[in-house]
Amino acid sequence: MVIIDKHSHTPAYRQLFLALRSDIENGVYRPGTKLPALRTLAHDLGIARNTVEAAYAQLVKEGYLCSRRGSGYVVNDLDFSILGASRETESTAEPRVSSGSELGTNPLGDNFGCTFDFCYGNKTGDSFPCATWRALTSEALSGDSIPGATSYSDRFGLPGLREHIARYLKESRNITCSPRQIVLQAGTQEALHNIVTLVDHTQRRVAMEDPGYSAARSVFSSRSCQIDPIPVYQGESGFLSALDDSNARLLYVTPSNQFPTGNVMPLPVRLKVIEWAADNDSYVIEDDYCSEFCYVGSAVTSLFDLDRTNHVIYLGTFSKILSPALRLSFLVLPPALVKRWNVFFPNYLSPVPWLSQEVLRLFFERGHWQKFVNKAKKDYRERHDLLLSCIETELGGCFDVMGSSAGLHVLLGARDQTPQQVLIDRARAHDVRVYGTSQYWMNRSHPLNNYVLLGYSSIENEMIPEGIARLRRAWLS
Amino acid sequence: MVIIDKHSHTPAYRQLFLALRSDIENGVYRPGTKLPALRTLAHDLGIARNTVEAAYAQLVKEGYLCSRRGSGYVVNDLDFSILGASRETESTAEPRVSSGSELGTNPLGDNFGCTFDFCYGNKTGDSFPCATWRALTSEALSGDSIPGATSYSDRFGLPGLREHIARYLKESRNITCSPRQIVLQAGTQEALHNIVTLVDHTQRRVAMEDPGYSAARSVFSSRSCQIDPIPVYQGESGFLSALDDSNARLLYVTPSNQFPTGNVMPLPVRLKVIEWAADNDSYVIEDDYCSEFCYVGSAVTSLFDLDRTNHVIYLGTFSKILSPALRLSFLVLPPALVKRWNVFFPNYLSPVPWLSQEVLRLFFERGHWQKFVNKAKKDYRERHDLLLSCIETELGGCFDVMGSSAGLHVLLGARDQTPQQVLIDRARAHDVRVYGTSQYWMNRSHPLNNYVLLGYSSIENEMIPEGIARLRRAWLS
């Protein structure tokens, strides 16, 4: 017998509908059975006749019942045996929080509750221009009718924002491109996903640096690409001969600041990489993820700027300057690939919210961007210098520092060859979190097993001296 | 001779660097050539010696020059011949605005400047809750340190938001799921992209309704899937026999409101679809894109709710209720696919900005969602009734209406079999934009060539009577 809960948020007719539907599915009412008359059921349940009628009408609409003139409502002849099994649901216990960080994709992991966390990728909580963003959001959403807020927008991204990006690329990287070559993307992974489809959709063979950015590799893996590792650690000749042996249609590199080693790709290698792409009808994806942060001179010439053969795809991001929480990156495509994009993705809908784009456009237009970049550069340079001076003081002579000339992380290598896991565990025992580098390698017998990674974008300046002092105690006493 | 522009935004050292680099690449300075001494060049250019030194240092850092003790700066031996061709750039003319709509992916097109535009997909400019969104954005971005705003966030989406979605699905669709089964996505296309990778990454065979949503089909095409059309227009037996003949691992359907016909999938077909998936170890993607808008009874039972075999993937979106500009949709995965997601996408970074998620979470938490949905339902019902009464008055007897029981569009078919292109052209001559339906078909000799599509989510109520009156003049006089 159905009990109608009159205090429920679910309307009475819907409660009755769900109960009767369940009874039909479970065979309580078999095919051909006539359901109780409206009046009778209404009386039995103490509800209005209209309510019963609404429930029956929905059952008719959905095909559970038919209504026959003179003979009332009859259960249709349906085979519900496929529904026999009871449905499996994930435990409704508290949902597990699965941050990228937990999965080593942050790229670098959970802090295990450590007080001193040299996490890479995230930024300090006070680094986002919240007040400006609030004000610009209010501006973007003011007025009576805002077509941008209620429509699908340009599939390449707002033209005004792309113009600002093109101008910034010219000023900061000497990159000459038209806004028409720029496609906004919802992060590096989405961009790579699309590039695989665009360039390599049948061959599925990608070359990438080893070690290299694991979140990029995982996109290629998920697309079933064969991945040719190109060693960055066997000198130029090792790199170039591996590249020559590869038939990949795509090469993924981080030439300005190799991730995670921090090496700069030497000019002869840059030229060879471009030549390789041009000769093999392949494309180079240049992930220029943190060219703004360069502590020795200015950022090196980008491959995109160097290339005149139109075989370089430039990939930029707002994750490092502004925030990874924005999920905003962009591709600069060679003209031929712009055409190909139009052919391959004729119905592409931009995955980037209009509001994010419009607020960032205003952020440029009102002159906030340049000021913010300058301040971020200054802040990170100070933090970089502080970190390195602490490392020199506390660990100098016993650890090698790699990759300190640019970016937002360094590698520390134990001269006595202590393995990274031992370093990580000892640090953790002193309430400091440092990170492994093994996940970046395809070559499992790699030569940097004594190196750990320390990011410095998410740790406060005040924490650095004590954090590094603790590392000395953890590692050297 | 280099001219240094002291009024440029580009620092003098960088202007000199770029000029010298260009000279080296172009062979003005050949390998082995010694560059002018610092002092000499500084004097010639009227700039500081430090400036020249900085430019030379950057050239050394990048590998263009080497610095030899006693012999100054010498050009390295590099082969720049690969750079010989001059680089092609897209015309820097005003970027072409390429909205989804222009490309028929909006899904429905440019209005050609028509005053009366029955566009589908977009919404009226005043339909977004701007004031509330502004207030909630301010709330989300207030405080000194906001870790969410500066970090990679949960790769499935904010847990608090997923809990609200799970609750809403239970209330509105009787769907029982754990928040752990929900994955936020940056739109339907991204969701389908991921599902293809997850379920069908090697076989690449997808079945979908014909006619069907072209933006979905285009994702499958871009992934090189073979697409089996399952006719929705040849009765149940036609549908089921085509499905039985398909070996697809995925079936994409819109059972609550077939796009674009507006049909509701009959219950026997629903049961068979589930049985087909369970028997073939396949999955059904149920795109429930507008179940909130139902004008006859309430929305029909979802496949996901009906299914106990765990072979249905539910796909929901915030595009119709809130706005397509949000780029926010979600998957509800069967438990086995949640596990598979973790295996396939271990390094997946959510493409949805934290701020969108947090503001939407607050929108639920503060009770705005339910009020907003109720108002939207009421508004669209009024607009729907107005549209249908205008159609009845102006076009009744000469046109058939299809798909008016739910959703945000109807199809209008000319009883005299006038082809859609003629209808479109005549309407346009009267300043009214209606849309074709051919792009939704794989079967090019489809039977609905006399049908056009009219959306009513982006046209103001005041425009509807005159718009339909113009259609009468265009089509019937």
Side-chain angles (χ1 to χ4, degrees):
Chain A
M1 184 63 190
V2 185
I3 308 283
I4 303 296
D5 175 1
K6 291 185 178 173
H7 302 291
S8 165
H9 281 296
T10 309
Y13 96 88
R14 187 147 174 89
Q15 292 183 51
L16 180 59
F17 162 75
L18 291 172
L20 292 172
R21 195 188 72 181
S22 172
D23 284 349
I24 295 169
E25 288 176 5
N26 296 329
V28 175
Y29 293 116
R30 299 193 169 277
T33 308
K34 193 176 152 186
L35 257 60
L38 296 175
R39 203 176 297 250
T40 315
L41 192 57
H43 178 264
D44 291 352
L45 297 174
I47 55 179
R49 195 190 127 126
N50 277 353
T51 306
V52 179
E53 194 164 17
Y56 280 14
Q58 186 72 18
L59 288 165
V60 170
K61 175 183 168 188
E62 298 209 11
Y64 288 86
L65 298 181
C66 60
S67 163
R68 291 197 197 128
R69 201 174 285 266
S71 62
Y73 294 89
V74 175
V75 176
N76 276 329
D77 186 13
L78 291 160
D79 178 6
F80 288 103
S81 58
I82 186 68
L83 305 183
S86 79
R87 200 142 71 77
E88 184 192 351
T89 313
E90 280 270 311
S91 144
T92 48
E94 198 59 18
R96 191 175 58 99
V97 177
S98 56
S99 67
S101 81
E102 182 185 332
L103 294 136
T105 64
N106 186 11
L108 287 172
D110 187 339
N111 74 356
F112 296 128
C114 288
T115 308
F116 301 87
D117 185 5
F118 288 95
C119 171
Y120 175 75
N122 294 341
K123 300 183 67 190
T124 47
D126 60 356
S127 63
F128 192 72
C130 288
T132 308
W133 213 262
R134 285 201 307 265
L136 296 177
T137 300
S138 286
E139 183 175 341
L141 290 179
S142 65
D144 288 335
S145 181
I146 305 161
T150 56
S151 305
Y152 289 94
S153 62
D154 191 288
R155 67 205 186 97
F156 280 67
L158 293 185
L161 176 55
R162 288 189 276 130
E163 283 168 28
H164 284 293
I165 293 173
R167 222 167 289 144
Y168 178 68
L169 287 174
K170 182 68 195 167
E171 286 163 12
S172 69
R173 302 295 277 136
N174 196 44
I175 283 176
T176 302
C177 67
S178 151
R180 290 177 58 178
Q181 292 173 262
I182 296 174
V183 194
L184 297 193
Q185 301 279 275
T188 293
Q189 294 194 313
E190 203 237 345
L192 295 177
H193 213 43
N194 287 328
I195 290 297
V196 169
T197 301
L198 193 66
V199 173
D200 190 42
H201 72 293
T202 52
Q203 194 173 338
R204 330 207 132 248
R205 191 157 181 173
V206 174
M208 73 176 277
E209 297 162 335
D210 190 38
Y213 184 40
S214 48
R217 195 167 62 227
S218 96
V219 172
F220 302 136
S221 301
S222 82
R223 294 296 300 276
S224 310
C225 296
Q226 181 185 326
I227 303 174
D228 297 338
I230 310 295
V232 296
Y233 222 68
Q234 296 170 17
E236 292 178 17
S237 63
F239 187 96
L240 293 174
S241 79
L243 190 57
D244 276 338
D245 290 346
S246 171
N247 291 317
R249 291 291 318 281
L250 278 172
L251 168 65
Y252 171 87
V253 289
T254 48
S256 302
N257 188 26
Q258 204 276 324
F259 191 87
T261 66
N263 291 338
V264 172
M265 187 184 281
L267 188 59
V269 177
R270 289 170 183 250
L271 293 167
K272 287 284 187 192
V273 160
I274 292 169
E275 192 177 357
W276 169 85
D279 288 352
N280 291 281
D281 194 23
S282 300
Y283 284 93
V284 183
I285 304 169
E286 172 179 39
D287 187 352
D288 200 37
Y289 62 102
C290 71
S291 59
E292 289 88 355
F293 304 113
C294 189
Y295 310 111
V296 181
S298 54
V300 298
T301 300
S302 72
L303 278 185
F304 192 92
D305 178 18
L306 201 58
D307 173 40
R308 269 80 159 175
T309 72
N310 292 293
H311 284 83
V312 176
I313 299 164
Y314 183 90
L315 174 55
T317 178
F318 291 94
S319 290
K320 299 293 179 280
I321 285 278
L322 270 166
S323 167
L326 272 184
R327 313 313 296 129
L328 200 46
S329 59
F330 57 89
L331 291 166
V332 187
L333 299 172
L337 288 187
V338 175
K339 293 190 186 84
R340 207 173 151 87
W341 186 287
N342 284 317
V343 172
F344 260 71
F345 303 127
N347 291 317
Y348 179 83
L349 297 166
S350 173
V352 187
W354 169 82
L355 191 56
S356 310
Q357 298 187 54
E358 176 64 6
V359 171
L360 183 56
R361 189 188 71 74
L362 291 167
F363 196 78
F364 273 101
E365 193 170 282
R366 301 290 146 78
H368 299 291
W369 171 259
Q370 196 55 59
K371 276 181 235 159
F372 188 79
V373 170
N374 292 342
K375 180 163 189 318
K377 283 180 171 180
K378 182 169 159 288
D379 289 348
Y380 284 120
R381 178 181 288 276
E382 282 173 17
R383 202 180 292 174
H384 164 273
D385 293 350
L386 172 65
L387 177 75
L388 286 179
S389 94
C390 292
I391 289 173
E392 176 58 31
T393 307
E394 304 282 357
L395 302 169
C398 303
F399 278 79
D400 292 314
V401 180
M402 191 185 287
S404 67
S405 64
L408 300 171
H409 75 277
V410 296
L411 299 187
L412 277 185
R415 291 200 181 157
D416 67 2
Q417 303 298 316
T418 308
Q420 59 177 263
Q421 195 55 51
V422 174
L423 297 171
I424 291 167
D425 292 342
R426 286 189 192 155
R428 194 173 159 188
H430 285 73
D431 203 18
V432 184
R433 181 87 170 112
V434 299
Y435 293 83
T437 53
S438 289
Q439 69 271 34
Y440 302 117
W441 290 85
M442 293 182 71
N443 172 11
R444 286 291 161 193
S445 59
H446 62 82
L448 294 183
N449 192 37
N450 54 325
Y451 275 80
V452 291
L453 188 150
L454 278 70
Y456 50 94
S457 56
S458 73
I459 190 166
E460 307 285 348
N461 282 2
E462 307 83 82
M463 308 287 272
I464 290 176
E466 172 67 12
I468 301 296
R470 282 168 177 255
L471 287 182
R472 179 181 47 72
R473 295 203 289 278
W475 292 343
L476 299 178
S477 61
Chain B
M1 184 64 189
V2 184
I3 308 285
I4 303 295
D5 175 2
K6 292 185 178 174
H7 303 290
S8 166
H9 281 295
T10 308
Y13 95 89
R14 186 147 176 89
Q15 293 182 48
L16 180 58
F17 162 76
L18 291 172
L20 291 172
R21 195 188 71 180
S22 171
D23 284 350
I24 294 170
E25 289 176 3
N26 297 331
V28 175
Y29 293 117
R30 297 193 170 276
T33 310
K34 192 175 150 186
L35 258 61
L38 296 175
R39 205 175 300 250
T40 317
L41 193 56
H43 178 265
D44 290 353
L45 297 174
I47 55 180
R49 194 191 128 126
N50 278 352
T51 306
V52 180
E53 194 163 18
Y56 280 15
Q58 184 74 17
L59 288 165
V60 170
K61 175 184 167 186
E62 298 208 12
Y64 288 87
L65 299 181
C66 59
S67 163
R68 293 199 194 127
R69 203 173 284 267
S71 62
Y73 295 88
V74 175
V75 176
N76 277 328
D77 186 11
L78 290 161
D79 177 8
F80 289 102
S81 59
I82 185 69
L83 306 182
S86 79
R87 199 143 71 77
E88 181 192 352
T89 313
E90 280 271 310
S91 144
T92 48
E94 198 60 18
R96 187 176 59 101
V97 176
S98 57
S99 67
S101 83
E102 181 186 333
L103 294 136
T105 66
N106 188 10
L108 288 170
D110 187 340
N111 75 356
F112 297 125
C114 288
T115 307
F116 301 87
D117 184 5
F118 288 95
C119 171
Y120 175 74
N122 293 342
K123 300 183 66 190
T124 48
D126 59 357
S127 63
F128 192 71
C130 288
T132 308
W133 213 264
R134 286 201 306 265
L136 296 177
T137 299
S138 287
E139 184 176 340
L141 290 179
S142 65
D144 288 336
S145 180
I146 305 162
T150 56
S151 306
Y152 289 95
S153 62
D154 192 287
R155 68 207 185 95
F156 280 67
L158 294 184
L161 176 55
R162 288 188 276 131
E163 284 168 30
H164 283 294
I165 293 173
R167 221 166 291 144
Y168 178 68
L169 287 174
K170 181 67 194 167
E171 286 164 12
S172 70
R173 302 296 276 137
N174 196 45
I175 283 175
T176 302
C177 68
S178 152
R180 292 176 57 177
Q181 291 172 263
I182 296 174
V183 195
L184 297 193
Q185 301 279 276
T188 293
Q189 293 194 313
E190 203 238 347
L192 295 177
H193 214 41
N194 286 328
I195 290 296
V196 168
T197 301
L198 193 66
V199 174
D200 191 42
H201 72 293
T202 51
Q203 194 175 338
R204 330 204 135 254
R205 189 156 180 174
V206 174
M208 72 176 280
E209 297 161 338
D210 189 38
Y213 184 40
S214 48
R217 195 166 64 226
S218 100
V219 172
F220 302 135
S221 303
S222 82
R223 293 297 301 277
S224 310
C225 295
Q226 180 186 325
I227 302 175
D228 298 336
I230 311 294
V232 296
Y233 223 69
Q234 295 169 16
E236 292 177 18
S237 62
F239 187 95
L240 292 174
S241 79
L243 191 57
D244 276 337
D245 290 346
S246 170
N247 291 317
R249 291 293 316 281
L250 278 172
L251 168 66
Y252 172 86
V253 288
T254 48
S256 303
N257 188 25
Q258 205 277 326
F259 192 86
T261 64
N263 291 339
V264 172
M265 187 184 282
L267 189 59
V269 176
R270 288 169 183 248
L271 293 168
K272 288 283 189 193
V273 160
I274 292 170
E275 191 177 355
W276 169 85
D279 287 352
N280 291 281
D281 195 23
S282 300
Y283 285 93
V284 183
I285 305 168
E286 173 179 38
D287 188 350
D288 199 39
Y289 62 102
C290 73
S291 60
E292 289 88 355
F293 303 114
C294 189
Y295 311 111
V296 181
S298 55
V300 298
T301 299
S302 73
L303 277 185
F304 192 92
D305 178 18
L306 201 57
D307 174 39
R308 268 82 159 176
T309 73
N310 293 292
H311 284 83
V312 175
I313 299 164
Y314 183 91
L315 174 54
T317 179
F318 290 95
S319 290
K320 300 293 178 282
I321 283 277
L322 270 165
S323 166
L326 272 185
R327 312 314 296 131
L328 198 47
S329 60
F330 58 89
L331 291 166
V332 187
L333 298 172
L337 288 187
V338 174
K339 294 190 186 84
R340 208 174 151 89
W341 187 285
N342 284 316
V343 172
F344 260 71
F345 303 127
N347 291 317
Y348 178 83
L349 298 166
S350 172
V352 187
W354 170 82
L355 192 56
S356 310
Q357 297 187 54
E358 177 63 5
V359 171
L360 184 56
R361 190 188 70 74
L362 291 167
F363 196 78
F364 272 101
E365 193 171 282
R366 300 287 191 268
H368 298 292
W369 171 260
Q370 196 57 57
K371 277 181 236 159
F372 189 79
V373 170
N374 291 342
K375 180 161 187 321
K377 282 180 171 181
K378 182 170 159 288
D379 289 350
Y380 285 120
R381 177 182 289 275
E382 282 173 16
R383 202 179 293 173
H384 163 272
D385 293 349
L386 171 65
L387 177 75
L388 286 179
S389 94
C390 291
I391 289 173
E392 176 57 31
T393 307
E394 303 282 357
L395 302 169
C398 303
F399 278 78
D400 292 313
V401 180
M402 193 185 286
S404 68
S405 65
L408 299 171
H409 75 277
V410 296
L411 300 186
L412 277 186
R415 291 200 182 159
D416 67 2
Q417 303 298 319
T418 308
Q420 57 178 265
Q421 195 55 51
V422 174
L423 296 171
I424 292 168
D425 292 343
R426 286 191 194 156
R428 194 173 159 187
H430 285 73
D431 202 18
V432 185
R433 181 84 170 113
V434 298
Y435 293 82
T437 53
S438 289
Q439 69 269 37
Y440 302 116
W441 290 86
M442 294 183 70
N443 172 11
R444 287 292 163 194
S445 60
H446 63 81
L448 294 183
N449 192 36
N450 54 324
Y451 275 80
V452 291
L453 187 149
L454 278 71
Y456 50 93
S457 55
S458 72
I459 188 165
E460 307 284 348
N461 282 2
E462 308 82 81
M463 308 286 272
I464 290 175
E466 172 67 13
I468 302 294
R470 282 169 178 255
L471 288 182
R472 180 182 45 76
R473 294 203 289 279
W475 293 343
L476 299 179
S477 61

